[in-house]
Amino acid sequence: MRLLVRTLLAVSFIFIIVTYITARPADPTLYPPAEPDTQTVLLVSHGWHSGLVLPRDSLTGEGAGIALRNLATRFAAYDALEFGWGEARFYRATPTLAAFDWRLAFSALFTPGGSDGVIQVVGLARPARTSFPQADIVRVPLSRRGLAQLLARLEASFRLTDGQPAALGPGLYGPSLFYEAHGRFSYSNLCNHWAAGLLNAAGLPITPVLDTHPSGLLADMRWRSGLTASAPSEAEPDLSKP
């Protein structure tokens, strides 16, 4: 029993130290936004995966480049776009938890050097709460410069072929496409870390150890940024999922 207690204490101590060391501070010049004309983006947690919803018209503003401007044109029929990043094979094969494959998950997490990443882009014709009634959604207010920094980091996530973002085929739900992405997916660089990294670029503080799981990411937003998620509803989703 003493050995167990000591082991638990040691693990807890290491967890606290690693959490503290890897935490990234806020940029007070970017967040919280001071100017009145702030732009709101949404952090969406689907339970096992997190993404960001951005207004489509923001994709042609400061910080955006070839990839985002291309998407603004390609998804011109939609008011907002959801962006999610993940491991190429596992992400594309896992529309829901029911489709979870342990072999793909293990390979995605522990391939030496990491695995290729992809970005899913989904067009939203209706509000995110209507499109994703069962998701936890956090409204994140950003300054204009913070949004520009976020867009620049998002732009850099896309891999270009012949000067354009390289589409890989249909996404998992709704009007969506997968695109080739920069970044290596592993247990230390998950989809939730990617979403948190975009918010950190916009000036928000993040804690990568907590951000490993969506629930930890939501707790991190509440704890360090004072942002809380809206509760899921009982409505049927507006976007079809296979």
Side-chain angles (χ1 to χ4, degrees), residues 67 84-88 91-92 115-121 153-161 164-168 178-185 189 194:
W85 180 86
E87 198 268 349
Y91 192 4
R92 298 178 72 184
S115 302
D116 290 337
V118 293
I119 296 173
Q120 179 180 235
V121 182
R153 179 154 181 160
L154 178 59
E155 174 74 30
S157 295
F158 285 87
R159 189 183 300 276
L160 302 182
T161 300
Q164 299 296 329
L168 297 172
F178 276 109
Y179 288 87
E180 291 185 13
H182 289 293
R184 306 292 290 175
F185 185 97
N189 190 31
W194 179 82

PDB file of all heavy atoms in Angstrom, residues 67 84-88 91-92 115-121 153-161 164-168 178-185 189 194:
ATOM      1  N   ALA A  67      -4.223  29.535 -49.572  1.00  0.00           N
ATOM      2  CA  ALA A  67      -5.069  28.398 -49.192  1.00  0.00           C
ATOM      3  C   ALA A  67      -6.424  28.861 -48.678  1.00  0.00           C
ATOM      4  O   ALA A  67      -7.470  28.377 -49.125  1.00  0.00           O
ATOM      5  CB  ALA A  67      -4.363  27.544 -48.137  1.00  0.00           C
ATOM      6  N   GLY A  84     -10.778  21.162 -38.894  1.00  0.00           N
ATOM      7  CA  GLY A  84     -10.278  20.162 -37.962  1.00  0.00           C
ATOM      8  C   GLY A  84      -9.050  19.489 -38.540  1.00  0.00           C
ATOM      9  O   GLY A  84      -8.956  19.284 -39.763  1.00  0.00           O
ATOM     10  N   TRP A  85      -8.097  19.156 -37.700  1.00  0.00           N
ATOM     11  CA  TRP A  85      -6.841  18.528 -38.133  1.00  0.00           C
ATOM     12  C   TRP A  85      -6.703  17.180 -37.450  1.00  0.00           C
ATOM     13  O   TRP A  85      -7.128  17.008 -36.304  1.00  0.00           O
ATOM     14  CB  TRP A  85      -5.674  19.436 -37.757  1.00  0.00           C
ATOM     15  CG  TRP A  85      -4.303  18.941 -38.129  1.00  0.00           C
ATOM     16  CD1 TRP A  85      -3.665  19.110 -39.323  1.00  0.00           C
ATOM     17  CD2 TRP A  85      -3.380  18.217 -37.293  1.00  0.00           C
ATOM     18  NE1 TRP A  85      -2.416  18.538 -39.288  1.00  0.00           N
ATOM     19  CE2 TRP A  85      -2.212  17.973 -38.048  1.00  0.00           C
ATOM     20  CE3 TRP A  85      -3.445  17.728 -35.986  1.00  0.00           C
ATOM     21  CZ2 TRP A  85      -1.112  17.293 -37.542  1.00  0.00           C
ATOM     22  CZ3 TRP A  85      -2.355  17.044 -35.470  1.00  0.00           C
ATOM     23  CH2 TRP A  85      -1.202  16.838 -36.240  1.00  0.00           C
ATOM     24  N   GLY A  86      -6.129  16.217 -38.144  1.00  0.00           N
ATOM     25  CA  GLY A  86      -5.939  14.916 -37.533  1.00  0.00           C
ATOM     26  C   GLY A  86      -5.028  14.026 -38.360  1.00  0.00           C
ATOM     27  O   GLY A  86      -4.530  14.437 -39.423  1.00  0.00           O
ATOM     28  N   GLU A  87      -4.807  12.816 -37.888  1.00  0.00           N
ATOM     29  CA  GLU A  87      -3.960  11.851 -38.584  1.00  0.00           C
ATOM     30  C   GLU A  87      -4.666  11.369 -39.847  1.00  0.00           C
ATOM     31  O   GLU A  87      -5.860  11.075 -39.829  1.00  0.00           O
ATOM     32  CB  GLU A  87      -3.656  10.679 -37.655  1.00  0.00           C
ATOM     33  CG  GLU A  87      -2.456   9.848 -38.083  1.00  0.00           C
ATOM     34  CD  GLU A  87      -2.819   8.674 -38.961  1.00  0.00           C
ATOM     35  OE1 GLU A  87      -4.018   8.371 -39.067  1.00  0.00           O
ATOM     36  OE2 GLU A  87      -1.903   8.044 -39.526  1.00  0.00           O
ATOM     37  N   ALA A  88      -3.938  11.277 -40.953  1.00  0.00           N
ATOM     38  CA  ALA A  88      -4.548  11.061 -42.264  1.00  0.00           C
ATOM     39  C   ALA A  88      -5.422   9.816 -42.326  1.00  0.00           C
ATOM     40  O   ALA A  88      -6.572   9.873 -42.772  1.00  0.00           O
ATOM     41  CB  ALA A  88      -3.456  11.005 -43.335  1.00  0.00           C
ATOM     42  N   TYR A  91      -8.231   9.692 -38.957  1.00  0.00           N
ATOM     43  CA  TYR A  91      -9.253  10.745 -39.030  1.00  0.00           C
ATOM     44  C   TYR A  91     -10.256  10.433 -40.132  1.00  0.00           C
ATOM     45  O   TYR A  91     -11.476  10.489 -39.930  1.00  0.00           O
ATOM     46  CB  TYR A  91      -8.558  12.076 -39.285  1.00  0.00           C
ATOM     47  CG  TYR A  91      -9.415  13.314 -39.121  1.00  0.00           C
ATOM     48  CD1 TYR A  91     -10.737  13.261 -38.683  1.00  0.00           C
ATOM     49  CD2 TYR A  91      -8.883  14.576 -39.398  1.00  0.00           C
ATOM     50  CE1 TYR A  91     -11.501  14.412 -38.535  1.00  0.00           C
ATOM     51  CE2 TYR A  91      -9.633  15.728 -39.252  1.00  0.00           C
ATOM     52  CZ  TYR A  91     -10.941  15.636 -38.826  1.00  0.00           C
ATOM     53  OH  TYR A  91     -11.688  16.774 -38.679  1.00  0.00           O
ATOM     54  N   ARG A  92      -9.771  10.077 -41.293  1.00  0.00           N
ATOM     55  CA  ARG A  92     -10.652   9.846 -42.435  1.00  0.00           C
ATOM     56  C   ARG A  92     -11.494   8.582 -42.267  1.00  0.00           C
ATOM     57  O   ARG A  92     -12.556   8.452 -42.886  1.00  0.00           O
ATOM     58  CB  ARG A  92      -9.840   9.766 -43.722  1.00  0.00           C
ATOM     59  CG  ARG A  92      -9.089  11.050 -44.041  1.00  0.00           C
ATOM     60  CD  ARG A  92      -8.251  10.939 -45.288  1.00  0.00           C
ATOM     61  NE  ARG A  92      -9.091  10.917 -46.480  1.00  0.00           N
ATOM     62  CZ  ARG A  92      -8.607  10.752 -47.708  1.00  0.00           C
ATOM     63  NH1 ARG A  92      -7.308  10.585 -47.888  1.00  0.00           N
ATOM     64  NH2 ARG A  92      -9.426  10.754 -48.739  1.00  0.00           N
ATOM     65  N   SER A 115       2.827  10.677 -37.827  1.00  0.00           N
ATOM     66  CA  SER A 115       2.157  10.318 -39.073  1.00  0.00           C
ATOM     67  C   SER A 115       1.671  11.578 -39.789  1.00  0.00           C
ATOM     68  O   SER A 115       1.526  12.637 -39.184  1.00  0.00           O
ATOM     69  CB  SER A 115       0.954   9.403 -38.783  1.00  0.00           C
ATOM     70  OG  SER A 115       1.350   8.235 -38.102  1.00  0.00           O
ATOM     71  N   ASP A 116       1.397  11.437 -41.079  1.00  0.00           N
ATOM     72  CA  ASP A 116       0.913  12.574 -41.866  1.00  0.00           C
ATOM     73  C   ASP A 116      -0.404  13.103 -41.316  1.00  0.00           C
ATOM     74  O   ASP A 116      -1.263  12.339 -40.866  1.00  0.00           O
ATOM     75  CB  ASP A 116       0.701  12.161 -43.322  1.00  0.00           C
ATOM     76  CG  ASP A 116       2.007  11.896 -44.050  1.00  0.00           C
ATOM     77  OD1 ASP A 116       3.040  12.430 -43.617  1.00  0.00           O
ATOM     78  OD2 ASP A 116       1.984  11.154 -45.047  1.00  0.00           O
ATOM     79  N   GLY A 117      -0.578  14.412 -41.393  1.00  0.00           N
ATOM     80  CA  GLY A 117      -1.816  15.036 -40.962  1.00  0.00           C
ATOM     81  C   GLY A 117      -2.671  15.468 -42.136  1.00  0.00           C
ATOM     82  O   GLY A 117      -2.179  15.628 -43.259  1.00  0.00           O
ATOM     83  N   VAL A 118      -3.970  15.615 -41.898  1.00  0.00           N
ATOM     84  CA  VAL A 118      -4.905  16.147 -42.880  1.00  0.00           C
ATOM     85  C   VAL A 118      -5.800  17.170 -42.181  1.00  0.00           C
ATOM     86  O   VAL A 118      -5.957  17.146 -40.961  1.00  0.00           O
ATOM     87  CB  VAL A 118      -5.787  15.052 -43.528  1.00  0.00           C
ATOM     88  CG1 VAL A 118      -4.961  14.127 -44.393  1.00  0.00           C
ATOM     89  CG2 VAL A 118      -6.557  14.270 -42.468  1.00  0.00           C
ATOM     90  N   ILE A 119      -6.384  18.055 -42.977  1.00  0.00           N
ATOM     91  CA  ILE A 119      -7.338  19.033 -42.467  1.00  0.00           C
ATOM     92  C   ILE A 119      -8.685  18.777 -43.117  1.00  0.00           C
ATOM     93  O   ILE A 119      -8.774  18.619 -44.332  1.00  0.00           O
ATOM     94  CB  ILE A 119      -6.898  20.470 -42.780  1.00  0.00           C
ATOM     95  CG1 ILE A 119      -5.593  20.798 -42.055  1.00  0.00           C
ATOM     96  CG2 ILE A 119      -7.979  21.477 -42.365  1.00  0.00           C
ATOM     97  CD1 ILE A 119      -5.006  22.138 -42.440  1.00  0.00           C
ATOM     98  N   GLN A 120      -9.734  18.694 -42.288  1.00  0.00           N
ATOM     99  CA  GLN A 120     -11.077  18.617 -42.827  1.00  0.00           C
ATOM    100  C   GLN A 120     -11.711  20.008 -42.772  1.00  0.00           C
ATOM    101  O   GLN A 120     -11.656  20.686 -41.742  1.00  0.00           O
ATOM    102  CB  GLN A 120     -11.958  17.650 -42.030  1.00  0.00           C
ATOM    103  CG  GLN A 120     -13.382  17.584 -42.588  1.00  0.00           C
ATOM    104  CD  GLN A 120     -14.304  16.639 -41.834  1.00  0.00           C
ATOM    105  OE1 GLN A 120     -14.906  15.755 -42.415  1.00  0.00           O
ATOM    106  NE2 GLN A 120     -14.415  16.838 -40.530  1.00  0.00           N
ATOM    107  N   VAL A 121     -12.305  20.417 -43.889  1.00  0.00           N
ATOM    108  CA  VAL A 121     -13.004  21.693 -43.975  1.00  0.00           C
ATOM    109  C   VAL A 121     -14.472  21.397 -44.266  1.00  0.00           C
ATOM    110  O   VAL A 121     -14.789  20.689 -45.226  1.00  0.00           O
ATOM    111  CB  VAL A 121     -12.419  22.590 -45.080  1.00  0.00           C
ATOM    112  CG1 VAL A 121     -13.140  23.934 -45.119  1.00  0.00           C
ATOM    113  CG2 VAL A 121     -10.922  22.786 -44.875  1.00  0.00           C
ATOM    114  N   ARG A 153      -1.484  31.238 -38.910  1.00  0.00           N
ATOM    115  CA  ARG A 153      -1.083  29.896 -38.473  1.00  0.00           C
ATOM    116  C   ARG A 153      -1.924  28.828 -39.162  1.00  0.00           C
ATOM    117  O   ARG A 153      -1.407  27.770 -39.544  1.00  0.00           O
ATOM    118  CB  ARG A 153      -1.223  29.780 -36.956  1.00  0.00           C
ATOM    119  CG  ARG A 153      -0.857  28.401 -36.429  1.00  0.00           C
ATOM    120  CD  ARG A 153      -0.398  28.448 -35.021  1.00  0.00           C
ATOM    121  NE  ARG A 153      -0.037  27.123 -34.539  1.00  0.00           N
ATOM    122  CZ  ARG A 153       0.737  26.907 -33.487  1.00  0.00           C
ATOM    123  NH1 ARG A 153       1.254  27.935 -32.829  1.00  0.00           N
ATOM    124  NH2 ARG A 153       1.006  25.684 -33.098  1.00  0.00           N
ATOM    125  N   LEU A 154      -3.221  29.085 -39.337  1.00  0.00           N
ATOM    126  CA  LEU A 154      -4.079  28.146 -40.049  1.00  0.00           C
ATOM    127  C   LEU A 154      -3.627  28.021 -41.502  1.00  0.00           C
ATOM    128  O   LEU A 154      -3.577  26.913 -42.058  1.00  0.00           O
ATOM    129  CB  LEU A 154      -5.526  28.618 -39.976  1.00  0.00           C
ATOM    130  CG  LEU A 154      -6.566  27.781 -40.714  1.00  0.00           C
ATOM    131  CD1 LEU A 154      -6.591  26.345 -40.207  1.00  0.00           C
ATOM    132  CD2 LEU A 154      -7.951  28.414 -40.579  1.00  0.00           C
ATOM    133  N   GLU A 155      -3.313  29.133 -42.131  1.00  0.00           N
ATOM    134  CA  GLU A 155      -2.819  29.124 -43.514  1.00  0.00           C
ATOM    135  C   GLU A 155      -1.586  28.230 -43.638  1.00  0.00           C
ATOM    136  O   GLU A 155      -1.465  27.441 -44.585  1.00  0.00           O
ATOM    137  CB  GLU A 155      -2.472  30.555 -43.938  1.00  0.00           C
ATOM    138  CG  GLU A 155      -1.817  30.681 -45.295  1.00  0.00           C
ATOM    139  CD  GLU A 155      -2.770  30.487 -46.451  1.00  0.00           C
ATOM    140  OE1 GLU A 155      -3.964  30.809 -46.315  1.00  0.00           O
ATOM    141  OE2 GLU A 155      -2.314  30.020 -47.523  1.00  0.00           O
ATOM    142  N   ALA A 156      -0.677  28.341 -42.678  1.00  0.00           N
ATOM    143  CA  ALA A 156       0.564  27.561 -42.717  1.00  0.00           C
ATOM    144  C   ALA A 156       0.328  26.073 -42.506  1.00  0.00           C
ATOM    145  O   ALA A 156       1.217  25.260 -42.767  1.00  0.00           O
ATOM    146  CB  ALA A 156       1.535  28.091 -41.661  1.00  0.00           C
ATOM    147  N   SER A 157      -0.862  25.688 -42.042  1.00  0.00           N
ATOM    148  CA  SER A 157      -1.170  24.277 -41.809  1.00  0.00           C
ATOM    149  C   SER A 157      -1.467  23.535 -43.114  1.00  0.00           C
ATOM    150  O   SER A 157      -1.413  22.302 -43.147  1.00  0.00           O
ATOM    151  CB  SER A 157      -2.380  24.141 -40.877  1.00  0.00           C
ATOM    152  OG  SER A 157      -2.107  24.650 -39.593  1.00  0.00           O
ATOM    153  N   PHE A 158      -1.803  24.265 -44.175  1.00  0.00           N
ATOM    154  CA  PHE A 158      -2.161  23.632 -45.442  1.00  0.00           C
ATOM    155  C   PHE A 158      -0.919  23.386 -46.292  1.00  0.00           C
ATOM    156  O   PHE A 158      -0.072  24.266 -46.450  1.00  0.00           O
ATOM    157  CB  PHE A 158      -3.143  24.502 -46.228  1.00  0.00           C
ATOM    158  CG  PHE A 158      -4.544  24.465 -45.685  1.00  0.00           C
ATOM    159  CD1 PHE A 158      -4.933  25.333 -44.677  1.00  0.00           C
ATOM    160  CD2 PHE A 158      -5.469  23.552 -46.171  1.00  0.00           C
ATOM    161  CE1 PHE A 158      -6.227  25.305 -44.166  1.00  0.00           C
ATOM    162  CE2 PHE A 158      -6.764  23.513 -45.668  1.00  0.00           C
ATOM    163  CZ  PHE A 158      -7.138  24.389 -44.664  1.00  0.00           C
ATOM    164  N   ARG A 159      -0.858  22.199 -46.880  1.00  0.00           N
ATOM    165  CA  ARG A 159       0.204  21.879 -47.826  1.00  0.00           C
ATOM    166  C   ARG A 159      -0.273  22.241 -49.229  1.00  0.00           C
ATOM    167  O   ARG A 159      -1.360  21.820 -49.642  1.00  0.00           O
ATOM    168  CB  ARG A 159       0.545  20.387 -47.754  1.00  0.00           C
ATOM    169  CG  ARG A 159       1.784  19.996 -48.546  1.00  0.00           C
ATOM    170  CD  ARG A 159       2.007  18.491 -48.477  1.00  0.00           C
ATOM    171  NE  ARG A 159       2.202  18.033 -47.116  1.00  0.00           N
ATOM    172  CZ  ARG A 159       3.365  18.052 -46.466  1.00  0.00           C
ATOM    173  NH1 ARG A 159       4.438  18.527 -47.087  1.00  0.00           N
ATOM    174  NH2 ARG A 159       3.457  17.615 -45.228  1.00  0.00           N
ATOM    175  N   LEU A 160       0.526  23.012 -49.945  1.00  0.00           N
ATOM    176  CA  LEU A 160       0.139  23.464 -51.270  1.00  0.00           C
ATOM    177  C   LEU A 160       0.746  22.579 -52.353  1.00  0.00           C
ATOM    178  O   LEU A 160       1.891  22.115 -52.234  1.00  0.00           O
ATOM    179  CB  LEU A 160       0.575  24.906 -51.492  1.00  0.00           C
ATOM    180  CG  LEU A 160       0.045  25.963 -50.514  1.00  0.00           C
ATOM    181  CD1 LEU A 160       0.548  27.339 -50.911  1.00  0.00           C
ATOM    182  CD2 LEU A 160      -1.482  25.940 -50.461  1.00  0.00           C
ATOM    183  N   THR A 161      -0.025  22.352 -53.401  1.00  0.00           N
ATOM    184  CA  THR A 161       0.445  21.665 -54.597  1.00  0.00           C
ATOM    185  C   THR A 161       0.126  22.558 -55.792  1.00  0.00           C
ATOM    186  O   THR A 161      -1.035  22.927 -55.990  1.00  0.00           O
ATOM    187  CB  THR A 161      -0.249  20.301 -54.766  1.00  0.00           C
ATOM    188  OG1 THR A 161       0.044  19.479 -53.629  1.00  0.00           O
ATOM    189  CG2 THR A 161       0.227  19.604 -56.033  1.00  0.00           C
ATOM    190  N   GLN A 164      -1.784  25.680 -54.784  1.00  0.00           N
ATOM    191  CA  GLN A 164      -3.151  25.600 -54.285  1.00  0.00           C
ATOM    192  C   GLN A 164      -3.250  24.519 -53.208  1.00  0.00           C
ATOM    193  O   GLN A 164      -2.462  23.565 -53.209  1.00  0.00           O
ATOM    194  CB  GLN A 164      -4.131  25.275 -55.418  1.00  0.00           C
ATOM    195  CG  GLN A 164      -4.172  26.319 -56.523  1.00  0.00           C
ATOM    196  CD  GLN A 164      -4.676  27.668 -56.045  1.00  0.00           C
ATOM    197  OE1 GLN A 164      -5.498  27.746 -55.131  1.00  0.00           O
ATOM    198  NE2 GLN A 164      -4.196  28.740 -56.660  1.00  0.00           N
ATOM    199  N   PRO A 165      -4.223  24.646 -52.272  1.00  0.00           N
ATOM    200  CA  PRO A 165      -4.400  23.587 -51.272  1.00  0.00           C
ATOM    201  C   PRO A 165      -4.800  22.284 -51.958  1.00  0.00           C
ATOM    202  O   PRO A 165      -5.632  22.283 -52.872  1.00  0.00           O
ATOM    203  CB  PRO A 165      -5.517  24.121 -50.375  1.00  0.00           C
ATOM    204  CG  PRO A 165      -6.242  25.117 -51.224  1.00  0.00           C
ATOM    205  CD  PRO A 165      -5.205  25.728 -52.114  1.00  0.00           C
ATOM    206  N   ALA A 166      -4.179  21.181 -51.536  1.00  0.00           N
ATOM    207  CA  ALA A 166      -4.372  19.891 -52.200  1.00  0.00           C
ATOM    208  C   ALA A 166      -5.530  19.127 -51.578  1.00  0.00           C
ATOM    209  O   ALA A 166      -5.423  18.608 -50.464  1.00  0.00           O
ATOM    210  CB  ALA A 166      -3.093  19.060 -52.118  1.00  0.00           C
ATOM    211  N   ALA A 167      -6.654  19.042 -52.299  1.00  0.00           N
ATOM    212  CA  ALA A 167      -7.835  18.320 -51.803  1.00  0.00           C
ATOM    213  C   ALA A 167      -7.629  16.815 -51.946  1.00  0.00           C
ATOM    214  O   ALA A 167      -7.041  16.344 -52.926  1.00  0.00           O
ATOM    215  CB  ALA A 167      -9.075  18.759 -52.571  1.00  0.00           C
ATOM    216  N   LEU A 168      -8.137  16.064 -50.961  1.00  0.00           N
ATOM    217  CA  LEU A 168      -7.984  14.608 -50.938  1.00  0.00           C
ATOM    218  C   LEU A 168      -9.298  13.858 -51.113  1.00  0.00           C
ATOM    219  O   LEU A 168      -9.304  12.637 -51.129  1.00  0.00           O
ATOM    220  CB  LEU A 168      -7.339  14.183 -49.617  1.00  0.00           C
ATOM    221  CG  LEU A 168      -5.923  14.706 -49.366  1.00  0.00           C
ATOM    222  CD1 LEU A 168      -5.484  14.365 -47.939  1.00  0.00           C
ATOM    223  CD2 LEU A 168      -4.957  14.110 -50.367  1.00  0.00           C
ATOM    224  N   PHE A 178     -11.364  16.883 -47.390  1.00  0.00           N
ATOM    225  CA  PHE A 178     -10.096  16.741 -46.698  1.00  0.00           C
ATOM    226  C   PHE A 178      -9.003  17.368 -47.551  1.00  0.00           C
ATOM    227  O   PHE A 178      -9.043  17.318 -48.788  1.00  0.00           O
ATOM    228  CB  PHE A 178      -9.757  15.261 -46.459  1.00  0.00           C
ATOM    229  CG  PHE A 178     -10.388  14.684 -45.231  1.00  0.00           C
ATOM    230  CD1 PHE A 178     -11.413  13.761 -45.326  1.00  0.00           C
ATOM    231  CD2 PHE A 178      -9.951  15.056 -43.970  1.00  0.00           C
ATOM    232  CE1 PHE A 178     -11.995  13.216 -44.197  1.00  0.00           C
ATOM    233  CE2 PHE A 178     -10.525  14.524 -42.826  1.00  0.00           C
ATOM    234  CZ  PHE A 178     -11.549  13.595 -42.942  1.00  0.00           C
ATOM    235  N   TYR A 179      -8.004  17.935 -46.873  1.00  0.00           N
ATOM    236  CA  TYR A 179      -6.871  18.553 -47.551  1.00  0.00           C
ATOM    237  C   TYR A 179      -5.562  18.061 -46.934  1.00  0.00           C
ATOM    238  O   TYR A 179      -5.492  17.773 -45.735  1.00  0.00           O
ATOM    239  CB  TYR A 179      -6.929  20.079 -47.426  1.00  0.00           C
ATOM    240  CG  TYR A 179      -8.002  20.724 -48.251  1.00  0.00           C
ATOM    241  CD1 TYR A 179      -9.293  20.879 -47.753  1.00  0.00           C
ATOM    242  CD2 TYR A 179      -7.730  21.182 -49.541  1.00  0.00           C
ATOM    243  CE1 TYR A 179     -10.287  21.473 -48.526  1.00  0.00           C
ATOM    244  CE2 TYR A 179      -8.721  21.782 -50.311  1.00  0.00           C
ATOM    245  CZ  TYR A 179      -9.991  21.924 -49.807  1.00  0.00           C
ATOM    246  OH  TYR A 179     -10.982  22.499 -50.560  1.00  0.00           O
ATOM    247  N   GLU A 180      -4.530  17.990 -47.755  1.00  0.00           N
ATOM    248  CA  GLU A 180      -3.205  17.658 -47.248  1.00  0.00           C
ATOM    249  C   GLU A 180      -2.753  18.751 -46.282  1.00  0.00           C
ATOM    250  O   GLU A 180      -3.045  19.934 -46.484  1.00  0.00           O
ATOM    251  CB  GLU A 180      -2.205  17.542 -48.388  1.00  0.00           C
ATOM    252  CG  GLU A 180      -2.442  16.337 -49.293  1.00  0.00           C
ATOM    253  CD  GLU A 180      -1.360  16.193 -50.341  1.00  0.00           C
ATOM    254  OE1 GLU A 180      -0.304  16.861 -50.211  1.00  0.00           O
ATOM    255  OE2 GLU A 180      -1.561  15.427 -51.296  1.00  0.00           O
ATOM    256  N   ALA A 181      -2.056  18.327 -45.227  1.00  0.00           N
ATOM    257  CA  ALA A 181      -1.662  19.289 -44.189  1.00  0.00           C
ATOM    258  C   ALA A 181      -0.218  19.104 -43.774  1.00  0.00           C
ATOM    259  O   ALA A 181       0.364  18.025 -43.907  1.00  0.00           O
ATOM    260  CB  ALA A 181      -2.565  19.137 -42.965  1.00  0.00           C
ATOM    261  N   HIS A 182       0.347  20.179 -43.278  1.00  0.00           N
ATOM    262  CA  HIS A 182       1.645  20.105 -42.622  1.00  0.00           C
ATOM    263  C   HIS A 182       1.431  19.612 -41.189  1.00  0.00           C
ATOM    264  O   HIS A 182       0.339  19.698 -40.640  1.00  0.00           O
ATOM    265  CB  HIS A 182       2.312  21.472 -42.593  1.00  0.00           C
ATOM    266  CG  HIS A 182       2.778  21.947 -43.928  1.00  0.00           C
ATOM    267  ND1 HIS A 182       3.795  21.346 -44.635  1.00  0.00           N
ATOM    268  CD2 HIS A 182       2.351  22.984 -44.700  1.00  0.00           C
ATOM    269  CE1 HIS A 182       3.991  21.973 -45.774  1.00  0.00           C
ATOM    270  NE2 HIS A 182       3.122  22.972 -45.847  1.00  0.00           N
ATOM    271  N   GLY A 183       2.491  19.124 -40.583  1.00  0.00           N
ATOM    272  CA  GLY A 183       2.420  18.675 -39.193  1.00  0.00           C
ATOM    273  C   GLY A 183       2.405  17.168 -39.104  1.00  0.00           C
ATOM    274  O   GLY A 183       1.866  16.483 -39.980  1.00  0.00           O
ATOM    275  N   ARG A 184       2.995  16.659 -38.035  1.00  0.00           N
ATOM    276  CA  ARG A 184       3.058  15.212 -37.793  1.00  0.00           C
ATOM    277  C   ARG A 184       2.193  14.887 -36.586  1.00  0.00           C
ATOM    278  O   ARG A 184       2.374  15.440 -35.495  1.00  0.00           O
ATOM    279  CB  ARG A 184       4.490  14.763 -37.549  1.00  0.00           C
ATOM    280  CG  ARG A 184       5.464  15.162 -38.635  1.00  0.00           C
ATOM    281  CD  ARG A 184       5.177  14.436 -39.923  1.00  0.00           C
ATOM    282  NE  ARG A 184       5.507  13.016 -39.827  1.00  0.00           N
ATOM    283  CZ  ARG A 184       5.255  12.134 -40.804  1.00  0.00           C
ATOM    284  NH1 ARG A 184       4.640  12.541 -41.915  1.00  0.00           N
ATOM    285  NH2 ARG A 184       5.596  10.873 -40.667  1.00  0.00           N
ATOM    286  N   PHE A 185       1.267  13.984 -36.764  1.00  0.00           N
ATOM    287  CA  PHE A 185       0.356  13.570 -35.696  1.00  0.00           C
ATOM    288  C   PHE A 185       1.024  12.518 -34.823  1.00  0.00           C
ATOM    289  O   PHE A 185       1.634  11.567 -35.315  1.00  0.00           O
ATOM    290  CB  PHE A 185      -0.921  12.996 -36.319  1.00  0.00           C
ATOM    291  CG  PHE A 185      -1.988  12.647 -35.328  1.00  0.00           C
ATOM    292  CD1 PHE A 185      -3.031  13.513 -35.052  1.00  0.00           C
ATOM    293  CD2 PHE A 185      -1.959  11.426 -34.654  1.00  0.00           C
ATOM    294  CE1 PHE A 185      -4.017  13.189 -34.140  1.00  0.00           C
ATOM    295  CE2 PHE A 185      -2.939  11.081 -33.744  1.00  0.00           C
ATOM    296  CZ  PHE A 185      -3.973  11.963 -33.477  1.00  0.00           C
ATOM    297  N   ASN A 189       1.009  15.396 -30.193  1.00  0.00           N
ATOM    298  CA  ASN A 189       0.527  16.430 -31.106  1.00  0.00           C
ATOM    299  C   ASN A 189      -0.788  15.964 -31.718  1.00  0.00           C
ATOM    300  O   ASN A 189      -0.834  15.495 -32.863  1.00  0.00           O
ATOM    301  CB  ASN A 189       1.558  16.717 -32.201  1.00  0.00           C
ATOM    302  CG  ASN A 189       1.207  17.942 -33.022  1.00  0.00           C
ATOM    303  OD1 ASN A 189       0.591  18.891 -32.519  1.00  0.00           O
ATOM    304  ND2 ASN A 189       1.586  17.944 -34.289  1.00  0.00           N
ATOM    305  N   TRP A 194      -3.686  20.907 -31.824  1.00  0.00           N
ATOM    306  CA  TRP A 194      -3.680  21.769 -33.016  1.00  0.00           C
ATOM    307  C   TRP A 194      -4.672  22.913 -32.840  1.00  0.00           C
ATOM    308  O   TRP A 194      -4.338  24.075 -33.098  1.00  0.00           O
ATOM    309  CB  TRP A 194      -4.025  20.932 -34.234  1.00  0.00           C
ATOM    310  CG  TRP A 194      -4.070  21.687 -35.531  1.00  0.00           C
ATOM    311  CD1 TRP A 194      -3.003  22.020 -36.320  1.00  0.00           C
ATOM    312  CD2 TRP A 194      -5.231  22.191 -36.200  1.00  0.00           C
ATOM    313  NE1 TRP A 194      -3.434  22.700 -37.446  1.00  0.00           N
ATOM    314  CE2 TRP A 194      -4.793  22.816 -37.400  1.00  0.00           C
ATOM    315  CE3 TRP A 194      -6.597  22.166 -35.908  1.00  0.00           C
ATOM    316  CZ2 TRP A 194      -5.685  23.412 -38.293  1.00  0.00           C
ATOM    317  CZ3 TRP A 194      -7.484  22.762 -36.797  1.00  0.00           C
ATOM    318  CH2 TRP A 194      -7.023  23.376 -37.975  1.00  0.00           C
TER     319      TRP A 194
END
